[in-house]
Amino acid sequence: LSKEVAIVFPVMLLLVDALREWNRESAGRPSIVQAVIAAAKRQPWLYGAFTLLAGLALFGAIFINRASRMEGLWGGPLPTHLGTSFKLFVHYLKMIVYPHPLIADYTGGVFPISTGFLEPATLFAALVALIYFGLSLWVFRRNAYLSVGLLWVLVGLAPVLQLIPFHEIAADHFLYLPLVGASLVCGVGVSVLANKVGRKWLAAIIGLVTIASSALVVTRNADWKDRNTLWEATYRSAPNSYRANVNLGLAYYREGRSEEGLRLTLRAAELDPRQPIPLSNLGGFYLTEGMSLRQDGKLDEAKSSQEKAIQYFSSAIELDPENPFTLSNVANSYKELGLIFEEKGSPGEALEARMKARDFYEKSLSIPDRRRETKAIWLNYALLLIDSEELGSWLYPMTVRYLSNFLTEYPDDPRGSYWM
């Protein structure tokens, strides 16, 4: 009930019990179906409870918690979607055997969605999956350990093969639980090799595999040094990763690499048009740029930047209308426009911009904030009211209240004390 992928764990326990049934019958080994039925009959209440809990967990994840933000199917029609499921299965098998490249994010255009069952890659994947499943069942009478290991991998992957669509197309960490079954298969392989090549050669093979795997671990650890190194490594391996583009875009912009930051953030918006974050970040870039231009006296350029910021923020709000911080950033841009118009000698336009800023601040503060504190909104709204005498002195008590809220959260911040 705590993690969606664990919903299949009772099936894995049933496989282990089926293995015990196989071990009980030294002669006339049962088939996988016979062993599973016998295991379930030995503990009907246990597996009945498992089935009930799994059904409730599945219902809760899909209809109550709505764990997935996915709308529709991958690739459109159902056959195409199922073709993607087969391709995912083969992808994970490949990662078990050869875990390279490791990718922190598959969203965007990283994983090739199936174009239908006539696509050669989809046909190949479907053939591999069917052979794998048939072999897993067939081999049970001969070596139940190998069968259970193969089926464990398949069962462990079932929740993440998009049979029930969800928003994360793929992830390397989805292999954690299936790798237990892969380890059992490796154990069977080692047992067979020990009889065929001898223990010394087997030790040498295991040693080489261990060294190669350790080298991969050390190399990968360097990628996880910090946020930038992780997303740079992801970008090198998967330049179409949505998160790599959006996270690097923000990081580079903050480091002063504004052209790279803008390029990557625009690319992120193209890779996943459903996401408001790149649009909100682009709005933040132009808001910051406009503030600098105004302070440098470049009022026309500053006005253009703030108008671009408002356009991007508005597009982000269309995708996520309940985000208080995007709404407050629209207000910040209008507040800046008010200062620009004032310096240009247009008091009427300055008042109009400030009234729009006030409306957006009010709207942002009216939304219950489930994401983070609203300290910045309090301060910015208070500064708007202080700078805008034309909005009316009757708003000053509200100004004091917002500054008080800010000081309560940030008692040592000099900005709040100064303006108070």
Side-chain angles (χ1 to χ4, degrees):
L1 296 175
S2 62
K3 188 66 177 174
E4 291 87 349
V5 292
I7 197 170
V8 295
F9 195 63
V11 182
M12 294 171 167
L13 295 181
L14 185 57
L15 288 174
V16 173
D17 280 346
L19 179 59
R20 294 168 65 191
E21 292 295 326
W22 182 82
N23 280 322
R24 284 193 180 98
E25 302 291 338
S26 57
R29 301 288 195 185
S31 68
I32 179 69
V33 175
Q34 291 170 331
V36 165
I37 292 174
K41 283 183 175 179
R42 285 183 185 275
Q43 302 182 86
W45 290 105
L46 178 68
Y47 284 107
F50 280 161
T51 302
L52 176 62
L53 284 173
L56 290 172
L58 189 62
F59 180 83
I62 296 174
F63 298 106
I64 299 176
N65 295 333
R66 299 191 179 276
S68 175
R69 299 184 295 276
M70 182 72 182
E71 294 182 5
L73 302 172
W74 290 102
L78 182 60
T80 303
H81 178 85
L82 293 176
T84 299
S85 296
F86 284 118
K87 292 179 76 172
L88 281 167
F89 179 69
V90 172
H91 165 76
Y92 287 124
L93 288 185
K94 174 260 177 188
M95 291 298 290
I96 289 172
V97 176
Y98 181 63
H100 181 81
L102 295 172
I103 299 173
D105 173 62
Y106 284 83
T107 56
V110 180
F111 189 84
I113 304 298
S114 171
T115 59
F117 275 98
L118 295 180
E119 179 192 35
T122 301
L123 280 173
F124 173 76
L127 182 62
V128 169
L130 291 174
I131 292 173
Y132 182 98
F133 182 62
L135 178 64
S136 302
L137 299 180
W138 176 78
V139 80
F140 186 82
R141 285 184 186 273
R142 292 154 184 80
N143 192 321
Y145 291 92
L146 179 59
S147 176
V148 168
L150 292 171
L151 288 171
W152 185 292
V153 172
L154 181 59
V155 171
L157 287 173
V160 296
L161 292 180
Q162 300 295 337
L163 300 174
I164 296 176
F166 66 102
H167 58 276
E168 204 75 48
I169 181 68
D172 293 344
H173 65 262
F174 289 162
L175 281 169
Y176 288 162
L177 192 55
L179 279 171
V180 175
S183 299
L184 184 55
V185 172
C186 287
V188 173
V190 167
S191 176
V192 172
L193 280 174
N195 295 326
K196 289 187 178 296
V197 303
R199 293 185 176 274
K200 289 183 179 180
W201 280 105
L202 181 61
I205 293 170
I206 292 175
L208 288 173
V209 171
T210 302
I211 291 170
S213 300
S214 300
L216 282 174
V217 170
V218 171
T219 303
R220 186 59 171 165
N221 282 346
D223 294 337
W224 284 84
K225 177 184 175 185
D226 56 42
R227 189 179 181 86
N228 277 20
T229 57
L230 173 64
W231 294 117
E232 284 169 347
T234 304
Y235 185 80
R236 285 194 299 272
S237 300
N240 286 335
S241 163
Y242 159 75
R243 289 192 183 101
N245 279 271
V246 73
N247 289 332
L248 280 179
L250 181 59
Y252 287 167
Y253 193 90
R254 286 174 173 173
E255 291 173 3
R257 300 159 64 177
S258 55
E259 288 187 13
E260 290 179 89
L262 281 169
R263 176 179 62 80
L264 290 170
T265 307
L266 285 166
R267 179 63 178 146
E270 292 173 5
L271 288 168
D272 195 343
R274 302 166 299 174
Q275 295 289 344
I277 295 173
L279 299 170
S280 183
N281 286 353
L282 287 165
F285 297 165
Y286 283 110
L287 168 60
T288 304
E289 179 186 81
M291 293 171 68
S292 298
L293 289 168
R294 178 184 63 78
Q295 291 165 2
D296 292 340
K298 301 175 181 178
L299 300 181
D300 289 334
E301 294 176 54
K303 176 176 173 290
S304 177
S305 286
Q306 294 302 343
E307 288 171 346
K308 287 181 183 177
I310 291 169
Q311 288 176 2
Y312 280 118
F313 286 138
S314 299
S315 298
I317 288 169
E318 288 179 12
L319 296 171
D320 185 11
E322 297 295 307
N323 189 314
F325 292 90
T326 308
L327 290 165
S328 71
N329 273 328
V330 178
N332 291 338
S333 285
Y334 276 118
K335 180 162 72 78
E336 278 292 310
L337 281 176
L339 294 172
I340 291 168
F341 285 129
E342 191 174 77
E343 292 183 30
K344 287 169 69 76
S346 303
E349 290 179 292
L351 176 59
E352 184 180 348
R354 284 167 174 162
M355 290 178 69
K356 288 181 179 177
R358 179 197 62 190
D359 292 342
F360 276 99
Y361 280 133
E362 291 284 354
K363 189 171 182 180
S364 69
L365 289 170
S366 70
I367 296 171
D369 176 31
R370 297 179 299 275
R371 280 168 262 211
R372 65 186 98 153
E373 309 283 344
T374 54
K375 311 180 194 73
I377 303 176
W378 291 330
L379 180 64
N380 285 323
Y381 192 12
L383 295 182
L384 170 76
L385 299 175
I386 288 170
D387 289 339
S388 311
E389 293 185 9
E390 66 268 48
L391 290 180
S393 59
W394 61 274
L395 290 172
Y396 284 168
M398 185 186 296
T399 309
V400 172
R401 176 159 60 89
Y402 287 132
L403 285 173
S404 298
N405 289 341
F406 181 81
L407 281 168
T408 301
E409 298 291 335
Y410 272 135
D412 299 324
D413 192 306
R415 294 175 298 172
S417 301
Y418 172 80
W419 288 108
M420 183 68 85

